[in-house]
Amino acid sequence: FVHLEMYEDSTSNLERALGIRFGEAPKKDTIPKESGMAIDLDKIELVNVRSRMDNYLTEEYVDAEIIQLASSFSYHPGEIRSSLEVDVYINTVKYQTINDQIDKLIQLDGSILLDPELQRLEVEPSKLSVSGLDFETWGNLQFGTGSRADLAFTAANEGLELLNFLFLGVLDLEEIEQIGGGSIHLNGTVQGPLGKGSLPVVRVNGEAADLGFRVKTVGRDVTGISFRLFGTNGGESDLSEGLVEVQDFNATFPEGNIFDNLTASNIKSPELDVEVDCQVNLAGMGDMFKSDFLGSLSGSVVVRGQISGSVNRESGRFLSDEGSISTVLEDVSFVINRDSIR
């Protein structure tokens, strides 16, 4: 178990125990020395290491578990190279406006190259997996004065796995199969300063074109799934410049279709703008959702309109500024979280 604490004087419990300060520049020796020392380690392995970092200055923390870490390490004058295979489970995080049960398994398989003199860490093209969704990532991290990140990533998945990830995992991938020649793509960047209460700016772009799937148990198809997606945390540490846009979302059902535009901004004080035109017969479509989420759908739904407003974070209530949405339900019934509603 590793426990890191930050105290009011900006020192950590590890620094006090070791009698050193992390990040301090070593004193320069007036007599130049050359060192031919080299270190090569074939394997370093950690298994089931629970870690928690608490920052008492800001009351922030990270609670995680290293399920397995395997690394090779090579040190030569002017260069440190390491390959990594790591599985990390992130339990909870409280950082600035983020205070959540993350519950994510993250896996990384790749290589890094550190230049101590330039204080620069190169991330060579590496595989990153977040709860089963695979990404390729690369870029660099700059340390010391002016620390910053400059990373890029792209999703390796181009099918239902990526669609389900964006739908927050509600689809039952065992009950649906992809059909047609459509595709979906996701990529982005992480750029900006690190430390001192600032966050690098994350930008995510996604696009789906004519994606489709069949609900195997009832033989019904959902086709023409298309949309454009953009998301960012913005340049402010309180996420007040956060933005998510879903434009021109289209999907065609056996009996009906959905069109939607959605804009959500300012995570600190959320604002929503929604335009929707939906007319769908729900019969048999519940099988595409995980059974513990939503099932046994029947009846028809018509939703049309446009609405803008803000969300009260304390009460969770939506406060409409303008617009209206009309909803017509006919013989609708469903089961949600094992409770039947008619």
Side-chain angles (χ1 to χ4, degrees):
F1 184 85
V2 178
H3 190 187
L4 178 64
E5 297 182 6
M6 299 297 295
Y7 299 111
E8 293 182 356
D9 61 357
S10 299
T11 63
S12 69
N13 59 328
L14 296 182
E15 289 172 310
R16 291 185 179 184
L18 296 172
I20 62 173
R21 288 298 305 271
F22 298 145
E24 279 190 345
K27 295 180 179 180
K28 293 185 178 180
D29 195 334
T30 55
I31 302 176
K33 297 181 179 179
E34 293 184 4
S35 173
M37 183 182 69
I39 301 174
D40 289 290
L41 296 177
D42 291 334
K43 188 174 184 180
I44 304 171
E45 188 170 17
L46 298 175
V47 178
N48 296 332
V49 178
R50 182 73 181 273
S51 63
R52 180 181 173 93
M53 184 191 77
D54 289 277
N55 189 335
Y56 292 133
L57 297 176
T58 58
E59 297 184 348
E60 296 170 341
Y61 59 82
V62 176
D63 187 6
E65 179 179 357
I66 300 174
I67 298 174
Q68 184 174 18
L69 182 149
S71 173
S72 63
F73 178 85
S74 174
Y75 170 82
H76 294 271
E79 178 181 284
I80 300 173
R81 180 180 294 274
S82 176
S83 65
L84 288 171
E85 293 183 24
V86 59
D87 293 357
V88 178
Y89 169 72
I90 299 179
N91 183 18
T92 56
V93 172
K94 183 182 179 184
Y95 181 71
Q96 296 184 11
T97 59
I98 302 172
N99 186 7
D100 205 357
Q101 180 85 24
I102 302 298
D103 192 27
K104 294 290 186 184
L105 178 64
I106 298 176
Q107 299 171 299
L108 175 66
D109 184 356
S111 299
I112 58 175
L113 179 64
L114 174 64
D115 188 322
E117 183 175 349
L118 296 178
Q119 295 185 304
R120 182 183 177 92
L121 178 70
E122 291 287 342
V123 180
E124 298 178 344
S126 304
K127 178 183 175 182
L128 175 68
S129 178
V130 180
S131 292
L133 185 67
D134 295 333
F135 293 88
E136 184 179 9
T137 184
W138 63 94
N140 64 77
L141 300 171
Q142 189 74 44
F143 297 102
T145 304
S147 297
R148 61 175 288 113
D150 190 357
L151 302 168
F153 61 88
T154 184
N157 309 73
E158 296 183 354
L160 296 182
E161 295 87 355
L162 178 52
L163 182 69
N164 191 41
F165 181 83
L166 296 177
F167 282 4
L168 304 180
V170 301
L171 297 177
D172 190 339
L173 297 181
E174 298 295 324
E175 297 296 330
I176 62 177
E177 60 183 353
Q178 188 168 342
I179 59 175
S183 63
I184 181 171
H185 305 277
L186 185 73
N187 59 67
T189 59
V190 180
Q191 297 174 315
L194 297 168
K196 295 184 179 180
S198 60
L199 289 171
V201 177
V202 180
R203 297 180 179 87
V204 179
N205 294 282
E207 184 175 10
D210 293 323
L211 196 65
F213 61 82
R214 175 168 296 137
V215 184
K216 293 185 283 188
T217 53
V218 294
R220 308 190 81 186
D221 298 343
V222 179
T223 58
I225 301 173
S226 302
F227 60 84
R228 299 191 310 276
L229 167 71
F230 174 74
T232 180
N233 61 337
E236 297 296 328
S237 60
D238 62 1
L239 304 184
S240 58
E241 294 183 354
L243 175 69
V244 175
E245 289 183 333
V246 180
Q247 299 294 320
D248 298 327
F249 181 93
N250 282 280
T252 301
F253 292 79
E255 297 178 49
N257 56 73
I258 295 176
F259 172 81
D260 181 53
N261 284 316
L262 170 80
T263 300
S265 59
N266 191 353
I267 297 176
K268 181 180 179 181
S269 182
E271 300 175 1
L272 293 176
D273 189 338
V274 180
E275 178 187 4
V276 61
D277 186 350
C278 166
Q279 183 173 353
V280 177
N281 188 324
L282 302 175
M285 302 310 297
D287 290 342
M288 70 183 184
F289 297 109
K290 289 184 176 178
S291 58
D292 58 351
F293 171 72
L294 184 66
S296 302
L297 286 168
S298 64
S300 61
V301 176
V302 177
V303 183
R304 290 192 175 98
Q306 185 274 334
I307 193 169
S308 300
S310 60
V311 177
N312 186 309
R313 293 195 64 170
E314 294 184 0
S315 66
R317 297 185 60 185
F318 179 75
L319 308 175
S320 176
D321 291 336
E322 60 180 29
S324 64
I325 290 181
S326 65
T327 304
V328 178
L329 308 179
E330 184 176 347
D331 298 326
V332 170
S333 65
F334 55 90
V335 174
I336 184 168
N337 292 329
R338 297 184 175 87
D339 291 327
S340 178
I341 300 177
R342 296 178 180 274

